[in-house]
Amino acid sequence: MSEDVRGILVGHGKLAEGLLDAVEGIIGSREGLIPLDNADLTPEALEVRLLELVGKGPAVVFVDLPSGSCAFAARRIRAHHPRIAVVCGVNLPLVLDFAFHRTLPIEEILERLRTHVGVSIEYSTDADSSVPGR
Amino acid sequence: MPILLCRVDDRLIHGQVVVGWGAQTGLDYIAVVDDKLVQSEWEQDLYRAGLAESIEGRFLSVAEAVEWIPSLAQNTERGFILTRDIATMRQLAEQGILADIEINLGGLHDAPGRHRVLPYLFLSAEDRRELERLRRVHPSVTAQDVPSARKVELDELLESRSG
């Protein structure tokens, strides 16, 4: 039996809490998901706080910017602890997919995040005349 | 010598630096001057992992930086110089190698013994002593976390006992 995987969202401003608020609004639960914002924390304090939340793992730490202090804190922890994943560029589809599948083994969750949840960009220089306008 | 930013920030390379200050500037490098970090290859790799491929992460001791910074006058690379504390920046300034460059206090966060002066700047008594030492060798020092924020002069900072 696999352990439930913790999901920790670490972001700038109120991004983490905002994403969890959106998750709860969509699926009615934020179980297994924990927000952490980096405001006013030294790098050391952020790392200590994040380590408390990660516990013994397994855990997926979702961060916003690859070059942000949140990402560096998460990478420091990952360097010293097994079964901790760091996912940069967090967005709502990523967190929702995680929330639905967090009882899977962490390796399967990460494979899902890599392959199932992409960024969709839709663009055209022409309007589609077959679509009725409002 | 296009050093675009010379900054004291305890988070070193992070979002405000790379994106807030760096995104519009066409950076070639970010140089971190730190005697401790220069001894840790894995930590350097960790910071490099957060940079775009076009930006080189350089890590130097104070002694190495004192040799390297004057050589920048001979090339056109554009970059930032970061230290995690005031004392390290003061050591560079004492060598006279930062002349004509404004030193930016970008982030010193809350820690035991520190008191809030600005939302992003908490100073201890030792930090204040270091700022006084820095001012004696390098008068151009201001605080500003992001480019759109108001620049705060050092006199104003030192007059403020807490925010």
Side-chain angles (χ1 to χ4, degrees):
Chain A
M1 189 179 83
S2 67
E3 306 162 77
D4 285 2
V5 178
R6 290 184 185 190
I8 296 129
L9 281 67
V10 199
H12 291 78
K14 301 191 185 308
L15 179 74
E17 181 57 40
L19 271 173
L20 284 199
D21 187 55
V23 168
E24 193 167 14
I26 292 168
I27 65 173
S29 168
R30 56 167 65 192
E31 191 178 346
L33 295 166
I34 309 164
L36 173 63
D37 75 54
N38 70 342
D40 296 339
L41 295 176
T42 62
E44 294 78 14
L46 180 62
E47 191 177 331
V48 167
R49 182 74 187 114
L50 181 56
L51 187 55
E52 289 170 357
L53 297 178
V54 163
K56 294 181 179 175
V60 178
V61 183
F62 294 93
V63 301
D64 45 19
L65 289 175
S67 60
S69 55
C70 311
F72 290 124
R75 290 190 190 107
R76 282 176 183 278
I77 290 170
R78 193 186 75 80
H80 293 112
H81 296 80
R83 302 194 307 159
I84 306 295
V86 180
V87 176
C88 296
V90 63
N91 58 38
L92 186 55
L94 274 173
V95 182
L96 284 170
D97 195 87
F98 173 85
F100 280 125
H101 298 97
R102 67 184 189 85
T103 57
L104 293 174
I106 188 168
E107 291 79 8
E108 289 184 36
I109 292 173
L110 297 175
E111 187 58 22
R112 286 193 59 83
L113 297 180
R114 281 193 195 96
T115 58
H116 290 218
V117 190
V119 172
S120 169
I121 299 175
E122 299 166 22
Y123 172 75
S124 173
T125 55
D126 299 311
D128 185 344
S129 59
S130 68
V131 178
R134 288 189 184 276
Chain B
M1 189 198 288
I3 296 174
L4 305 176
L5 182 70
C6 202
R7 177 173 171 107
V8 179
D9 189 329
D10 57 17
R11 293 179 179 179
L12 295 175
I13 297 171
H14 70 110
Q16 285 180 349
V17 172
V18 178
V19 181
W21 290 89
Q24 305 297 324
T25 55
L27 278 183
D28 296 304
Y29 67 86
I30 295 179
V32 177
V33 181
D34 192 90
D35 283 344
K36 186 176 169 191
L37 190 52
V38 80
Q39 296 175 28
S40 175
E41 287 287 337
W42 76 266
E43 281 188 280
Q44 294 174 31
D45 290 343
L46 183 149
Y47 280 111
R48 287 190 181 102
L51 293 175
E53 284 185 16
S54 59
I55 303 174
E56 183 188 354
R58 297 177 184 170
F59 299 88
L60 303 99
S61 66
V62 171
E64 288 167 339
V66 168
E67 295 289 318
W68 174 70
I69 289 172
S71 76
L72 294 174
Q74 310 302 319
N75 68 42
T76 57
E77 287 184 318
R78 299 156 62 86
F80 293 168
I81 293 177
L82 307 177
T83 70
R84 78 169 79 229
D85 54 42
I86 302 162
T88 304
M89 191 63 79
R90 187 257 305 158
Q91 290 176 64
L92 298 179
E94 282 176 341
Q95 302 299 316
I97 55 177
L98 302 179
D100 303 325
I101 302 171
E102 185 171 270
I103 292 174
N104 164 254
L105 305 173
L108 291 172
H109 292 85
D110 198 6
R114 278 192 175 150
H115 301 281
R116 183 183 186 274
V117 176
L118 295 169
Y120 55 90
L121 203 69
F122 293 69
L123 298 176
S124 66
E126 178 59 20
D127 292 328
R128 288 174 178 276
R129 281 192 289 275
E130 280 294 348
L131 283 174
E132 293 286 3
R133 290 180 196 128
L134 177 59
R135 177 158 63 176
R136 284 198 285 274
V137 296
H138 194 99
S140 181
V141 181
T142 60
Q144 187 180 19
D145 58 346
V146 292
S148 59
R150 181 175 77 91
K151 196 181 281 190
V152 182
E153 298 295 330
L154 187 54
D155 284 344
E156 185 180 340
L157 283 180
L158 292 174
E159 284 167 11
S160 170
R161 299 314 299 176
S162 67

